[in-house]
Structures are given as structure tokens and as C-alpha cells.
Amino acid sequence: MGILYEKVQITRELKRQMMIRQLLDRGIREYDGQSVYDLDYYTLRWLLATRKLER
């Protein structure tokens, strides 16, 4: 079970890094006073989704 948890965490971190890159490409460097690098996975996902809808 520990290996599966580790794989999920690694996958989530890779997705998080991709979302950060997409936000940076859109010129978004911070949200609510925090750097995008400091945001958690779910906040990044929400922020990216809402920004995609605005376009």
C-alpha cells in the first residue's frame, strides 16, 4: 500500500508542476498574495480551470 501512495504523490507533484508552468505561461505568478509555487495542488487546479474559462 505504501508504494501506491508514493506513486500517487509523485504523479500529483508532476501534475502540480505542469499546472504551475501553464499558469506562468499565462502570466499568472501569484494568487491571493501567494506565489504560484506555494499553492497546493487543489488550489492550482481550481485557479487554472477558472483562468481557462475566462478566455
Side-chain angles (χ1 to χ4, degrees):
M1 189 76 164
I3 293 173
L4 177 60
Y5 177 78
E6 186 177 317
K7 297 287 184 187
V8 169
Q9 292 301 94
I10 291 170
T11 301
R12 185 172 289 162
E13 181 59 26
L14 289 173
K15 288 180 182 178
R16 184 177 170 275
Q17 293 299 322
M18 289 187 320
M19 288 186 285
I20 288 171
R21 172 56 46 205
Q22 290 177 13
L23 288 168
L24 291 173
D25 289 345
R26 293 174 181 265
I28 301 167
R29 307 227 178 287
E30 62 180 36
Y31 171 72
D32 206 23
Q34 284 188 305
S35 170
V36 292
Y37 292 105
D38 297 332
L39 299 175
D40 65 20
Y41 172 81
Y42 295 104
T43 305
L44 286 168
R45 189 174 74 175
W46 175 83
L47 182 59
L48 185 59
T50 57
R51 293 307 182 254
K52 284 182 176 179
L53 288 174
E54 288 177 353
R55 291 203 173 215

